[in-house]
Amino acid sequence: MTLTTSPEALAALACGHLDLERAPFTLPSSRIIVFREGDGVRVHTSEYERRLDQCRVLDLLTVRDAASRALPITAVLPDRVVFGDDAATLVFAGTESLSLGAAASGLSAEWTTPDGQTRLAPLAAAVRIEIAPDRTVRVAASTRHDDDADASRALWHDWFARCPVVRDDLQDMAAFCWWVLGANVVSLPRLRAQLGEVHAVVPSKIGYVGLWQWDAYFIAAGLRHGAPELAREQLDLAFGFSSADGQLPDVVHEEGVLATSDDLPQADRDRLRRAGSQIADPNAPVPLTKPPLAAWALRRVLEALPRTPETEAWARRHLETIRRSQDWWFAVSDLDGDGMPEYGHPYSSGLDDSPIFDGPLPTTAPDLGAYLVRQDLELARFAEEFGDADPQPHRERAERTLAKLMELWDAEAGVFTARAAGQRVGTDAIVGLMPLLTGRLPGDVRDTLAAALDDPARYGTPWGLPTVAAGDPDFSPERMWRGPVWINTNTLVADGLAVSGLPDRARELAERTLELVIHGGGPHEYFHPYTGEKAGTATTAFGWSAALFIDLAVRLSV
């Protein structure tokens, strides 16, 4: 799609959403995030598995005039925060420092550190606020404020120059979602020795500072439309730490990887033991991964890349990793040996808090069966395209898995059900809609699932698909994975409707998903299914919600 809107215009659209509350002030690759605090700001670092209150740098930073009055924040732009009537600006000075510069005389900077100390310094020109890795602060006079401001402005200009242009009614939110993806870029310097200079687009700089495997897939699907090389980099990271037996890790983060329950905090390990298992030993390490959507993601990124010999060589390398990962599911995660792999830990599903995991582990889930069928069919297609493997074993395994998946179909209830250690789980959860992704369901089963989307007692809520059916006893509209609407599950079901021969229904759900993000005020982590607003505990400026908004907006703008 040819860009017809200037980077300046797109940045201006994004500015309408930059409130320093739901959207912090930050810079691509920086670990510094800035929020509003009264008439000033507070400054935090962004760290893996640490809450904001654990990453305090400055509890308050204000600009004061000659009468010691705090100047209010009057504008927030991607590259600067403005105080007063352009009296002072806060900008980034590289990725590890901030610069506060004055355009008026008689101003002072006042800042309070987490130990309760408050300091005041004249703001004759500018001060540079250097933040060390241990969160200590050094404030010194600076003569480079204008240069720092220009560098930050140029960086954001280049990013918005790549923002996809979509339908007029979607462009405002698409610009903000593109800002979210740029804002959520972090560098992973401790992985340089293995992978070189790498950048992850994280789910959020508020706590989620790592590359979760299936987040990377969804984020890459959106990045491919304007930053395909960065989309490639997300897959390089997700696929770059495959184990000897083919398992892909749950998370790649600044300390390494999270691939087993032994890597979890003690509280999470205790939770697994309390859950118990009739098949898996809860006292033994449990592999942690994410649902097998790797081939789905590779296909989408490849669609945005020129088909050069280098691109094909890149894809072939990753296809070998994906094939080994697919084999791992059947060799290692078929815990009862019946031919259908199970989730050995809720984290491997991505739907950690879903009520289908309230019982004993492992869990046989219809979404996992559907993903495995879809992935084998995709691998068969790749094998035909590249001629580097036999597609038939993938097709045959897909058929066997589909047969096992159909054993989870409850015709009387009209739902695919999960099993907890072999026992039926009664919850009507969104995992039961994912078999649409196979594109191979019998017509009556497909139509029954499609009808559930219109049923207000099931998935026909005003703002998309709740993650547990509205009439189910386990439904809770605010609890993670127990009722709120998620952009990724909406997108996957829309994809399933499309490949199942229901393109109009797929487009309808995609349009409603875009309306939800616009109505809710941004790409939040999850949404209330009745109000369409951000659920109370959801994170804001969430990576895959932003990326999938862009992906859907581009596809619906053609």
Side-chain angles (χ1 to χ4, degrees), residues 439-516:
R440 301 294 183 89
L441 297 178
D444 60 332
V445 175
R446 179 201 68 174
D447 293 344
T448 298
L449 294 182
L453 307 184
D454 302 320
D455 184 349
R458 296 192 67 191
Y459 297 96
T461 55
W463 289 105
L465 309 181
T467 39
V468 170
D472 192 280
D474 290 322
F475 172 76
S476 176
E478 292 273 358
R479 290 186 63 189
M480 179 183 285
W481 297 120
R482 290 175 177 258
V485 179
W486 290 70
I487 304 305
N488 68 324
T489 48
N490 268 20
T491 301
L492 289 171
V493 174
D495 189 6
L497 291 166
V499 299
S500 294
L502 299 171
D504 292 342
R505 295 303 307 270
R507 186 179 184 96
E508 176 188 346
L509 178 56
E511 291 280 6
R512 191 153 41 121
T513 302
L514 296 175
E515 291 172 11
L516 169 64

Side-chain angles (χ1 to χ4, degrees), residues 100-119:
L100 183 61
S105 61
L107 302 183
S108 302
E110 182 178 83
W111 63 96
T112 302
T113 52
D115 60 7
Q117 296 188 48
T118 298
R119 295 176 176 83

Side-chain angles (χ1 to χ4, degrees), residues 23-144:
F25 180 57
T26 190
L27 189 75
S29 296
S30 177
R31 295 298 186 90
I32 300 170
I33 46 178
V34 179
F35 295 87
R36 186 185 298 269
E37 188 67 34
D39 285 332
V41 297
R42 68 179 192 276
V43 181
H44 301 257
T45 54
S46 183
E47 301 177 31
Y48 176 66
E49 290 293 285
R50 287 184 178 272
R51 303 185 310 272
L52 280 180
D53 62 0
Q54 296 175 302
C55 303
R56 294 155 56 198
V57 175
L58 295 178
D59 287 348
L60 183 63
L61 172 65
T62 56
V63 178
R64 297 193 174 276
D65 64 15
S68 294
R69 294 172 299 200
L71 297 182
I73 295 169
T74 53
V76 182
L77 291 81
D79 59 285
R80 63 193 181 278
V81 177
V82 181
F83 296 85
D85 187 16
D86 286 324
T89 54
L90 181 71
V91 304
F92 272 83
T95 59
E96 298 176 358
S97 302
L98 296 165
S99 179
L100 183 61
S105 61
L107 302 183
S108 302
E110 182 178 83
W111 63 96
T112 302
T113 52
D115 60 7
Q117 296 188 48
T118 298
R119 295 176 176 83
L120 187 70
L123 199 56
V127 293
R128 187 183 182 100
I129 305 165
E130 299 176 353
I131 300 169
D134 64 357
R135 298 190 292 277
T136 56
V137 175
R138 178 177 177 270
V139 179
S142 173
T143 59
R144 294 187 48 81

Side-chain angles (χ1 to χ4, degrees), residues 313-391:
W314 172 81
R316 287 173 191 269
R317 288 197 308 274
H318 286 327
L319 277 171
E320 182 56 33
T321 299
I322 297 170
R323 291 182 186 119
R324 292 176 61 246
S325 171
Q326 182 80 342
D327 291 343
W328 174 88
W329 280 99
F330 290 91
V332 178
S333 206
D334 180 8
L335 298 168
D336 60 4
D338 70 345
M340 172 68 91
E342 295 89 27
Y343 290 126
H345 191 287
Y347 286 2
S348 293
S349 73
L351 285 72
D352 313 350
D353 296 315
S354 173
I356 70 168
F357 298 108
D358 286 353
L361 297 168
T363 301
T364 306
D367 63 325
L368 178 55
Y371 300 146
L372 290 166
V373 171
R374 176 70 176 263
Q375 181 139 286
D376 263 326
L377 293 174
E378 198 67 74
L379 287 171
R381 285 181 60 199
F382 276 123
E384 288 180 335
E385 290 175 24
F386 290 119
D388 62 342
D390 183 357

Side-chain angles (χ1 to χ4, degrees), residues 172-195:
D172 178 274
M173 185 55 68
F176 178 47
C177 288
W178 194 249
W179 174 88
V180 169
L181 293 179
N184 286 359
V185 173
V186 301
S187 61
L188 299 173
R190 298 188 185 185
L191 301 182
R192 284 176 186 151
Q194 182 168 347
L195 297 177

